[in-house]
Amino acid sequence: MADIIEGISPTRMELLKLGRRIVLAEKGYKLLKEKRDALVSEFLDVVQRVHDSRARASEKLAMAFKDLLTAQAVMGSDAVWQVSQVTGQDIRIDIDTMNIMGVKVPMITPQDVKRSMIDRGYGFADTSTMVDDAARNFEEAIEDVIKLAEVQQSVENLANEVIKTKRRVNALEYIVIPRLTATATHIRMRLAEMERENFTRLKKIKAAIEAGKKAETA
Amino acid sequence: MDSDSRVLARMMRSLNDHLPGERKTLKELLGEDKPRVVCRDGSTHRIRKEELETIERIIGRRWGEEAERLRLPLLIEMVPDYGRSAARIRGRIYCEIVQTILHEEKKKAIDEMIIFRPDVRRLRRALPSATQYAFMTSTS
């Protein structure tokens, strides 16, 4: 049996207060359990998205590096390096937050990462088409890597919240509610015992009074 | 109220701190460059444009002016009274959006619907930023 709350007086008033606390604790427990379940669902979905994003990013990067190696083989490493020098680009990203049940997760949106061949800035005449393929695949890979960063961070934040909520649910389920219930049971038993004691005391008093009356009449 | 109960009551109130203080209409959100709402805890919640466009596509033609009054994010109300992981969607227009996303047969317009965990997950996957969970203590 769970511990009872120390220093609580066994009165009907306390019993009523405890009843209200039990109702409140049970409501809180049910709601927190709902939150935990919802968080776990979200967490599993995001884990799946991490898995998919990682696979997609790896695939794109593998393709991009393959194209880059082919381009280097066709044009020579120096020529590819020179092309890379004229195609510098700052990657613009838009970072904001989304609030999932109190968990702030990042929302990262890359902007204009993919460019047309003209925007890349190098000449077509002296470059291989493999350079174009490599550039396109790298641009696509960057988008996937950014998406991966977003979901990876979301997983971490959600996992922390799942742990916190789980701890609260367990505290309510295994400590708070059993302790309140045990205390209420204890008070109920104590009150019943006091009632029995009172009943016996009254009987004894009555017997004593009657014995006194009999002695007076005799 | 004793300190334990106060802590518990505060915790229950904080379960819904992520909800927006004021929801914005679809029209307002579509007009913003970066659509977002301010939550009760002071943080911001960004809603993806693509999701807003999906909602607009679903309701745009059929609901006309009423669509402009649609307030977002859509609330998925978790009510323990309906059973574990059951959620309630309230409002005719919101029910229509959910029914369309879940590919449910629309026999007639309904004001309230209950969906269960697999459907909640499908809905959240389709509209992760345009929907939010709300935790309700009772059905009333």
Side-chain angles (χ1 to χ4, degrees):
Chain A
M1 195 169 163
D3 290 342
I4 61 162
I5 302 166
E6 294 291 329
I8 207 157
S9 47
T11 58
R12 291 196 188 280
M13 194 64 203
E14 284 296 339
L15 191 61
L16 281 172
K17 274 190 203 166
L18 268 177
R20 282 195 290 268
R21 278 167 75 180
I22 290 170
V23 170
L24 188 66
E26 279 173 350
K27 264 187 192 169
Y29 167 66
K30 277 184 189 168
L31 283 178
L32 272 179
K33 220 163 66 167
E34 289 289 346
K35 183 181 175 180
R36 183 197 61 190
D37 291 349
L39 274 171
V40 170
S41 289
E42 291 288 322
F43 177 75
L44 293 175
D45 280 347
V46 179
V47 166
Q48 186 59 48
R49 276 168 57 204
V50 168
H51 188 261
D52 294 346
S53 292
R54 188 169 290 157
R56 227 176 12 246
S58 301
E59 193 187 331
K60 287 272 164 59
L61 282 171
M63 274 164 65
F65 276 110
K66 197 176 153 200
D67 289 340
L68 180 67
L69 283 173
T70 317
Q72 281 175 334
V74 172
M75 291 169 55
S77 301
D78 289 345
V80 173
W81 184 80
Q82 276 173 359
V83 167
S84 76
Q85 293 306 296
V86 291
T87 55
Q89 184 201 11
D90 292 329
I91 298 168
R92 283 172 54 234
I93 51 171
D94 173 24
I95 303 179
D96 217 320
T97 52
M98 221 167 80
N99 200 329
I100 306 175
M101 288 172 275
V103 186
K104 286 159 195 80
V105 297
M107 187 188 272
I108 311 173
T109 321
Q111 290 172 336
D112 310 325
V113 175
K114 285 185 197 164
R115 291 177 295 178
S116 67
M117 285 203 295
I118 297 164
D119 292 338
R120 286 187 195 126
Y122 53 77
F124 304 132
D126 47 356
T127 53
S128 158
T129 54
M130 297 316 286
V131 173
D132 303 332
D133 292 344
R136 194 187 59 244
N137 283 329
F138 272 118
E139 283 164 2
E140 283 174 8
I142 284 171
E143 281 194 346
D144 288 325
V145 169
I146 291 170
K147 202 95 260 109
L148 180 62
E150 177 192 301
V151 283
Q152 184 77 46
Q153 188 58 49
S154 306
V155 161
E156 279 177 34
N157 296 359
L158 280 169
N160 288 337
E161 189 66 19
V162 168
I163 293 168
K164 252 196 265 174
T165 312
K166 219 170 169 183
R167 202 178 297 141
R168 284 182 189 153
V169 170
N170 286 345
L172 280 173
E173 186 176 2
Y174 297 111
I175 297 169
V176 178
I177 295 174
R179 200 165 56 184
L180 289 172
T181 317
T183 311
T185 312
H186 170 78
I187 292 179
R188 237 176 262 123
M189 280 162 63
R190 189 80 188 86
L191 287 172
E193 199 179 315
M194 278 158 67
E195 215 162 275
R196 280 194 299 274
E197 276 174 9
N198 242 358
F199 182 72
T200 320
R201 195 179 302 123
L202 284 173
K203 278 205 114 177
K204 280 200 170 173
I205 291 168
K206 193 179 171 189
I209 291 169
E210 277 172 4
K213 276 182 186 168
K214 265 186 196 169
E216 271 175 29
T217 50
Chain B
M1 204 187 255
D2 58 282
S3 64
D4 280 6
S5 305
R6 266 199 299 275
V7 170
L8 210 56
R10 199 165 50 231
M11 189 189 72
M12 280 164 71
R13 272 198 303 275
S14 72
L15 279 177
N16 285 324
D17 276 353
H18 62 283
L19 294 182
E22 200 180 336
R23 292 195 289 169
K24 289 184 182 172
T25 61
L26 179 64
K27 197 181 176 188
E28 278 175 324
L29 288 166
L30 279 168
E32 287 178 19
D33 184 33
K34 293 176 179 179
R36 54 161 80 101
V37 287
V38 179
C39 306
R40 286 179 195 169
D41 61 3
S43 65
T44 54
H45 175 76
R46 175 82 175 263
I47 302 176
R48 285 190 201 278
K49 266 252 158 85
E50 305 90 77
E51 293 175 34
L52 295 175
E53 284 158 7
T54 307
I55 293 173
E56 195 191 22
R57 267 199 306 278
I58 293 172
I59 56 159
R61 273 185 226 144
R62 283 189 57 178
W63 290 79
E65 273 183 26
E66 211 168 326
E68 288 177 6
R69 289 199 294 272
L70 169 81
R71 290 192 173 271
L72 291 171
L74 189 155
L75 296 184
I76 303 171
E77 297 178 1
M78 306 302 288
V79 191
D81 296 8
Y82 289 126
R84 197 165 168 188
S85 295
R88 176 176 63 184
I89 308 291
R90 279 194 289 181
R92 193 169 289 191
I93 194 163
Y94 299 103
C95 289
E96 168 134 0
I97 295 168
V98 174
Q99 280 178 319
T100 309
I101 286 168
L102 301 178
H103 307 295
E104 275 187 14
E105 199 183 339
K106 279 174 266 182
K107 286 175 187 159
K108 59 177 183 176
I110 47 170
D111 291 325
E112 190 176 308
M113 66 188 286
I114 307 294
I115 53 173
F116 294 91
R117 195 187 303 192
D119 288 340
V120 174
R121 284 184 79 170
R122 275 169 64 202
L123 178 60
R124 285 286 300 160
R125 270 185 220 134
L127 303 171
S129 66
T131 57
Q132 272 192 331
Y133 288 98
F135 297 94
M136 319 294 262
T137 45
S138 71
T139 46
S140 54

